[in-house]
Amino acid sequence: MTIALLHTADLHRPTFDRLLEERSYAGVVRHVVREDLLARARDQGVDSVAAETIALLQELAAAADVVVCTCSTLGPLADRVAAEAPHVLRIDRPVMEAALALGPAPLVAFCLESTRAPTLDVLTSCAAKGQEIAPRALFCAGAWARFEAGDMDGYAARIAEAIRAEISARGRPDCILLAQASMQGAAAHLADLGLEVLTSPPLAADRAVAMARLRAS
């Protein structure tokens, strides 16, 4: 079995190595890190990297049992490839499904404006037929600068601060959804709220391992 992962930040490499090991996955893991794709998508729009990203995902799909795109901004491009190669998975689809199973009004937090539209679009696509949803989108201003500076503790703390302020101002949501994989460290800062805090990497790892084992059976 082979699981290939396309990342736009190197920090996801050890995260997924650990998650796959915890799930007793014994196959091959291939990491491809392309930070430039996210940088260009932020500066010039996702269309500017569409052809290159799609070609890369198709190349990975030809050689792997499962491919996971771990960048939320590039998620729509993964969906385009998945239309022809269903073993390609965008990282945030499983977490969106889990959030809507908890209720129609999740608080969806994100730290990049380039993530807003693809995140809300995939959440809408995951809604059951006839299900009316009312997500609360929260941009965590200032957090990404801390991520870029390598201050992961400060990054997590800033995300948590923004979420606490939002809940204080507008009340409790059905759950908290941390839309970007890099945001998972904020979950520990929110444990006392008594709300389910969902992060994408563990659920994507669950799905990827299940898909790989099914294809190998």
Side-chain angles (χ1 to χ4, degrees):
M1 291 183 289
T2 299
I3 294 177
L5 302 107
L6 174 60
H7 310 296
T8 53
D10 193 63
L11 64 87
H12 299 316
R13 186 194 302 258
T15 295
F16 275 91
D17 281 340
R18 174 181 56 80
L19 289 170
L20 293 174
E21 182 179 2
E22 289 173 354
R23 285 149 181 79
S24 301
Y25 173 74
V28 174
V29 181
R30 180 184 176 190
H31 298 282
V32 176
V33 181
R34 290 289 305 274
E35 296 181 1
D36 61 300
L37 293 175
L38 177 58
R40 284 156 50 202
R42 290 181 62 199
D43 290 342
Q44 304 168 37
V46 174
D47 287 347
S48 69
V49 299
E52 187 174 358
T53 303
I54 288 171
L56 178 53
L57 288 169
Q58 289 172 332
E59 177 187 339
L60 293 173
D65 295 290
V66 178
V67 178
V68 183
C69 176
T70 66
C71 177
S72 299
T73 296
L74 302 181
L77 303 178
D79 278 343
R80 286 168 61 178
V81 178
E84 299 293 333
H87 59 296
V88 174
L89 173 70
R90 61 184 290 173
I91 186 172
D92 47 4
R93 188 169 292 279
V95 77
M96 301 296 170
E97 295 169 352
L100 291 180
L102 294 171
L107 173 58
V108 184
F110 55 94
C111 298
L112 282 175
E113 278 294 349
S114 62
T115 299
R116 180 191 296 265
T119 293
L120 296 178
D121 286 347
V122 72
L123 184 68
T124 299
S125 75
C126 288
K129 185 176 181 180
Q131 182 183 17
E132 295 186 7
I133 65 172
R136 290 162 49 183
L138 173 65
F139 175 58
C140 300
W144 193 252
R146 300 187 186 188
F147 174 86
E148 291 181 314
D151 179 10
M152 295 306 293
D153 290 339
Y155 178 54
R158 178 68 194 101
I159 293 166
E161 289 168 9
I163 290 171
R164 288 179 180 277
E166 165 70 15
I167 292 174
S168 177
R170 299 183 57 197
R172 293 167 66 84
D174 290 329
C175 67
I176 299 168
L177 194 163
L178 303 179
Q180 295 166 241
S182 61
M183 298 172 70
Q184 63 178 338
H189 294 257
L190 300 165
D192 62 303
L193 292 178
L195 286 165
E196 191 82 26
V197 181
L198 301 175
T199 63
S200 57
L203 295 173
D206 288 341
R207 183 74 57 87
V209 170
M211 290 169 64
R213 287 173 176 160
L214 182 61
R215 284 175 61 85
S217 63

